[in-house]
Amino acid sequence: MTEPTRIFHNPRCSKSRQTLELIQQKGIEPEIIRYLETPPTEQELLHILDPLGCEPRQLMRTKESEYKEQGLDNPELSREQLVKAMVATPKLIERPIVLANGKAAIGRPPESVLEIL
């Protein structure tokens, strides 16, 4: 049984809304995870990072004030510390993230998710 297509979604974000619409236009009704209300666990984030092929800092919104305020620009921070920070402050997680067919993509631009659907 394949996993359902999932989107870590923020309805206030235009790119997130556009990505969701693009997925639905393909006839897919994804599981919508409003990650600001229901943040992923550390394990879930680690599970997302692997298929994205990126490190935690690459999945962070580095222009958010919380990034600097929490000292997350410190290059000495470990992978685990950065993941914990994203779980504690989900606003720092880049959006939207789409998981489909054992793969992952960030919807920036929204069309980038088409290759995993």
Side-chain angles (χ1 to χ4, degrees):
M1 183 175 178
T2 60
E3 290 183 28
T5 298
R6 299 187 309 159
I7 181 171
F8 286 82
H9 179 60
N10 178 351
R12 296 186 64 194
C13 170
S14 64
K15 296 291 183 211
S16 197
R17 290 191 309 270
Q18 290 168 8
T19 301
L20 176 59
E21 185 178 328
L22 192 62
I23 294 167
Q24 290 170 329
Q25 286 173 355
K26 291 287 181 187
I28 300 167
E29 264 318 310
E31 176 186 344
I32 299 171
I33 301 160
R34 296 178 102 173
Y35 72 94
L36 293 176
E37 298 162 15
T38 309
T41 64
E42 290 176 38
Q43 276 307 111
E44 286 174 312
L45 269 180
L46 290 170
H47 178 72
I48 290 166
L49 287 168
D50 288 338
L52 280 174
C54 70
E55 289 301 314
R57 198 177 309 277
Q58 295 170 282
L59 191 59
M60 296 178 96
R61 297 177 60 85
T62 58
K63 293 184 176 146
E64 294 292 341
S65 59
E66 290 85 351
Y67 182 79
K68 283 250 188 217
E69 289 167 6
Q70 294 179 32
L72 298 172
D73 53 346
N74 178 350
E76 301 296 316
L77 292 175
S78 70
R79 191 172 204 251
E80 292 75 25
Q81 288 170 307
L82 294 172
V83 168
K84 285 180 188 293
M86 286 190 281
V87 170
T89 312
K91 181 180 180 185
L92 292 169
I93 301 171
E94 188 59 82
R95 61 184 178 257
I97 302 167
V98 176
L99 303 173
N101 302 311
K103 298 177 184 174
I106 297 173
R108 290 188 171 269
E111 295 76 22
S112 65
V113 304
L114 291 175
E115 62 190 50
I116 68 165
L117 296 177

